[in-house]
Amino acid sequence: MSEKNHDGRRAARERLLQDRELQKARDKRRRLLIVSAAVVGVLGLAAVVGVIAANSGGKGKGDSASTGPVAAPSGAEGEDALALPAGASDAPSTLTVWEDFRCPACAQFENVMRNTIHELTDSGQLRVEYRLATIIDGNLGGNGSRRAANAAACAQDAGKFVPYHDVLYQNQPPETDDAFAQNGRLIELAGKVQGLDTPAFRDCVESGAHDSWVEKSGEAFHKGDFSGTPTVLLNGQSIFPQRGNEQISPENLKKWVTEANKGKKPGTAQPSPSGS
């Protein structure tokens, strides 16, 4: 073999090795970008899903009117007693959260932000007002939004709304699976909350004791002309999926609450047993 051919083959092998290394580097950068986009975009994607849900929402076959007097759950507050409070009543900031228990965007929001919200409420920095909507029933049919909201109101009567609310989102079925329409499933999940699965809770769930209240809450959501669920307001200002140019995240929520609370003392007033 001539030295010229030998040098040519060696140069070709070196170029091939260089090309392989460059491709490995490109593949690594691509994987990092995909992971980063997934982390940053999960709540943004959730917002899109929520907007679509609300824009197509309305009364459908699963959103029939309830009858009978409106029976608000114990400890409900605000106009028409539609807000379920959590945290110190004198906390310097208030987070208002409109949610639907069948809404996948709401579950994504809760699963990312839950620990931070609990940390801020436990430390007296934040008071939360949970408000319930039933738009998925109207979109897809079924009664899971309504039945789950009634069960959550029954948990409020027992002073266990927040832990039951968390359990529902941690065990949310696929959006098209109306599993929450089954009272038996809602009672089964109550077993995950210490002391909730009682005869009184079961009767409340089975009888639909708060169905009319749930409907009234759903009507308030539609009248509010919100863009979707979850709708999240900090002291009345929308922060989901972002505030200004900043995307919502656990870190940013802490920062926004700290800024809002500057110079103010944490809340110390204990919430009522039915509101926490």
Side-chain angles (χ1 to χ4, degrees):
M1 180 185 298
S2 69
E3 187 166 342
K4 182 177 180 180
N5 288 339
H6 178 76
D7 290 342
R9 291 191 177 186
R10 183 173 61 187
R13 285 197 301 271
E14 290 175 352
R15 285 195 300 272
L16 181 60
L17 289 173
Q18 290 174 350
D19 289 343
R20 287 176 177 173
E21 291 302 317
L22 287 172
Q23 185 61 45
K24 287 181 181 179
R26 285 194 291 267
D27 289 344
K28 182 177 181 180
R29 286 196 299 272
R30 182 173 177 273
R31 287 194 298 272
L32 288 173
L33 286 172
I34 291 172
V35 172
S36 298
V39 172
V40 174
V42 62
L43 288 175
L45 174 62
V48 173
V49 174
V51 169
I52 293 172
N55 286 342
S56 60
K59 286 196 175 185
K61 61 184 178 181
D63 199 27
S64 58
S66 298
T67 59
V70 175
S74 178
E77 297 180 354
E79 184 177 358
D80 294 326
L82 297 178
L84 303 182
S89 59
D90 59 344
S93 285
T94 298
L95 191 74
T96 302
V97 184
W98 282 96
E99 295 178 315
D100 181 327
F101 285 111
R102 286 181 71 185
C103 165
C106 300
Q108 289 176 324
F109 168 78
E110 286 293 337
N111 291 334
V112 172
M113 304 299 298
R114 178 183 300 114
N115 291 340
T116 300
I117 292 173
H118 288 342
E119 178 183 338
L120 292 168
T121 55
D122 291 345
S123 62
Q125 301 297 316
L126 192 65
R127 178 178 183 270
V128 184
E129 290 184 350
Y130 292 98
R131 295 173 179 265
L132 307 182
T134 57
I135 58 176
I136 305 299
D137 286 356
N139 295 340
L140 301 180
N143 291 290
S145 299
R146 179 187 300 278
R147 298 262 48 79
N150 173 70
C154 295
Q156 170 72 13
D157 287 338
K160 297 181 182 296
F161 168 79
V162 171
Y164 186 62
H165 158 278
D166 292 351
V167 164
L168 290 179
Y169 280 119
Q170 288 165 340
N171 293 272
Q172 186 189 69
E175 187 179 15
T176 55
D177 179 359
D178 197 25
F180 282 172
Q182 304 300 317
N183 288 333
R185 176 57 175 161
L186 297 170
I187 291 170
E188 177 187 358
L189 290 174
K192 295 179 178 291
V193 179
Q194 185 175 7
L196 178 57
D197 186 6
T198 63
F201 174 80
R202 290 188 174 215
D203 181 66
C204 183
V205 172
E206 295 284 4
S207 67
H210 297 298
D211 279 355
S212 294
W213 177 85
V214 171
E215 182 181 357
K216 194 172 187 66
S217 183
E219 290 172 351
F221 175 80
H222 285 292
K223 290 177 182 177
D225 197 28
F226 300 114
S227 60
T229 54
T231 288
V232 186
L233 310 171
L234 178 60
N235 297 327
Q237 180 184 31
S238 176
I239 61 169
F240 183 89
Q242 62 188 54
R243 187 182 79 165
N245 294 323
E246 295 181 296
Q247 185 87 10
I248 193 171
S249 67
E251 295 75 19
N252 279 341
L253 180 59
K254 287 181 181 181
K255 183 181 75 170
W256 298 337
V257 171
T258 298
E259 291 171 350
N261 292 354
K262 187 175 182 179
K264 301 175 183 178
K265 294 181 179 180
T268 57
Q270 294 296 317
S272 66
S274 296
S276 62

